[in-house]
């Protein structure tokens, strides 16, 4: 199982375009891993998590093709995670030769929100209408919280996020054969109900990816995002609960400028606290 980060930035990207703060100014100067597109990942070459506004430019930058993607797990419909253009442009009117139908997966709230956005953007009709699905070469799958379903050869479970501005936001547990990834952005502190269900599910993760919008010295904000201290605490709890494999790793993503250092410095800090910092183009191969 391979996991590739297409983007690791928060909503405004990093550096934030109009920001003159030290972190953003330094990120522009140093470049490289400090330049972050909006967050999304691909697993192997066929599963995308979040069809966000930067997936195309990320695929150009990292020499990746998205033409084999046939599953999209959508965490929620915030604009930094969903760009309707990539759905609409699947239509034959765009001359797009789609080799595989796309199975678009999300909570009922997310699918309804996406349907509204696509409806305002085009006249192709509702994504719930079979005729529209045929025209856009896509199907939709609504997942309930904690429901596990097989999507292709992936075992997928939607876990409720604590991200109140977008009702129905999901984090995803994604398993294939004996490997498992927990993709955990955008969320604030996980609820006790979530911990109970994670314990019941009993999946032991190779890779835990967590929201790290706020950096060092920042606390999570209720119904919003995590800070560095929360990532440390969540990583520790996954380990102590036996939910992270002995050789499992924790990576931070969805990084903003608030309290976050230059990438290498931040990664060094993270390394001393039990996690690592992802960067755009990072590819992790889960083995063993
Ligand atoms: Zn976001
Ligand atoms: Zn800034
Ligand atoms: Zn969000």
């Amino acid at each position: 199982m391979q996991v590739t980060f297409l983007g690791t930035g928060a909503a405004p990207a990093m550096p934030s375009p109009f920001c003159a703060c030290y972190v953003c100014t330094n990120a522009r100067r140093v470049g490289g891993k400090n330049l972050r597109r909006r967050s999304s990942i691909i697993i192997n070459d066929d599963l995308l998590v979040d069809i966000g506004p930067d997936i195309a430019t990320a695929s150009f930058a990292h020499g990746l093709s998205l033409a084999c993607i046939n599953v999209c797990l959508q965490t929620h419909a915030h604009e930094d995670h969903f760009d309707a253009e990539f759905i609409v442009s699947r239509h034959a009117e765009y001359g797009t030769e789609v080799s595989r139908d796309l199975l678009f997966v999300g909570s009922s709230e997310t699918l309804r929100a996406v349907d509204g956005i696509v409806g305002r953007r085009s006249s192709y009709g509702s994504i719930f209408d079979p005729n529209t699905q045929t025209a856009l070469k896509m199907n939709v799958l609504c997942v309930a919280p904690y429901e596990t379903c097989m999507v292709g050869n992936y075992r997928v479970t939607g876990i409720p996020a604590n991200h109140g501005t977008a009702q129905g936001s999901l984090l995803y547990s994604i398993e294939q054969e004996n490997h498992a990834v927990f993709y955990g952005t955008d969320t604030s502190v996980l609820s006790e109900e979530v911990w109970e269900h994670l314990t019941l599910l009993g999946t032991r993760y190779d890779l835990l990816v967590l929201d790290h919008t706020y950096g060092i010295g920042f606390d999570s904000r209720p119904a919003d995002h995590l800070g560095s201290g929360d990532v440390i605490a969540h990583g520790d709890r996954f380990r102590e609960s036996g939910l992270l494999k002995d050789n499992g790793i924790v990576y931070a993503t969805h990084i903003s400028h608030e309290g976050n250092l230059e990438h290498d410095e931040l990664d060094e800090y993270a390394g001393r606290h039990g996690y690592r910092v992802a960067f755009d183009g990072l590819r992790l191969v889960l083995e063993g």
Side-chain angles (χ1 to χ4, degrees):
M1 196 175 187
Q2 289 189 6
V3 178
T4 307
F5 289 82
L6 293 181
T8 56
M14 252 301 289
S16 186
F18 303 116
C19 185
C21 82
Y22 172 76
V23 174
C24 290
T25 303
N26 195 48
R28 283 182 204 105
R29 185 181 60 80
V30 178
K33 295 172 182 173
N34 293 281
L35 307 178
R36 302 180 186 276
R37 292 176 172 84
R38 271 65 69 87
S39 296
S40 68
I41 58 166
I42 53 174
I43 294 187
N44 301 320
D45 65 349
D46 55 3
L47 187 150
L48 170 71
V49 184
D50 284 344
I51 193 162
D54 292 333
I55 60 165
T57 58
S59 75
F60 311 151
H62 304 301
L64 299 163
S65 170
L66 303 181
C68 291
I69 297 289
N70 62 357
V71 174
C72 175
L73 307 180
Q74 193 66 32
T75 58
H76 61 313
H78 279 166
E79 288 85 349
D80 56 322
H81 298 259
F82 178 76
D83 188 335
E85 205 60 42
F86 298 123
I87 296 288
V88 171
S89 61
R90 295 177 64 82
H91 197 281
E93 276 188 351
Y94 284 75
T96 310
E97 295 180 24
V98 177
S99 58
R100 302 166 171 206
D101 280 1
L102 178 72
L103 182 62
F104 191 83
V105 182
S107 69
S108 61
E109 294 93 334
T110 295
L111 293 180
R112 280 202 304 274
V114 161
D115 188 43
I117 298 166
V118 171
R120 287 190 290 280
R121 170 64 189 79
S122 77
S123 56
Y124 295 148
S126 169
I127 62 166
F128 299 109
D129 180 337
N131 293 323
T132 307
Q133 293 177 2
T134 302
L136 296 176
K137 299 181 178 63
M138 68 182 288
N139 295 293
V140 296
L141 176 66
C142 177
V143 288
Y146 308 117
E147 182 186 1
T148 299
C149 49
M150 288 305 295
V151 176
N153 59 1
Y154 299 98
R155 223 171 105 85
V156 172
T157 310
I159 308 290
N162 179 4
H163 195 53
T165 54
Q167 294 298 318
S169 289
L170 292 177
L171 315 174
Y172 286 103
S173 168
I174 307 157
E175 299 168 66
Q176 185 187 46
E177 296 170 358
N178 55 345
H179 294 116
V181 176
F182 184 94
Y183 189 69
T185 195
D186 298 17
T187 189
S188 184
V189 175
L190 298 181
S191 69
E192 286 307 313
E193 181 193 271
V194 163
W195 286 109
E196 283 169 27
H197 277 86
L198 288 175
T199 306
L200 277 174
L201 281 169
T203 302
R204 301 190 75 220
Y205 295 98
D206 300 83
L207 172 63
L208 170 61
V209 182
L210 288 175
D211 187 308
H212 192 292
T213 304
Y214 307 116
I216 300 160
F218 281 73
D219 293 325
S220 64
R221 299 181 190 172
D224 191 351
H225 295 282
L226 297 174
S228 172
D230 307 294
V231 170
I232 297 166
H234 280 67
D236 287 347
R237 188 157 173 187
F238 268 83
R239 275 187 205 95
E240 287 157 11
S241 309
L243 297 170
L244 194 65
K245 288 181 181 174
D246 294 341
N247 60 349
I249 40 175
V250 181
Y251 266 92
T253 192
H254 204 276
I255 289 157
S256 181
H257 52 167
E258 292 154 291
N260 283 312
L261 304 169
E262 187 277 326
H263 174 84
D264 290 345
E265 286 177 70
L266 184 61
D267 193 40
E268 193 183 304
Y269 172 89
R272 294 198 302 272
H273 294 85
Y275 71 102
R276 301 291 307 271
V277 178
F279 54 90
D280 292 17
L282 170 66
R283 173 169 296 177
L284 301 170
V285 181
L286 308 181
E287 295 175 312

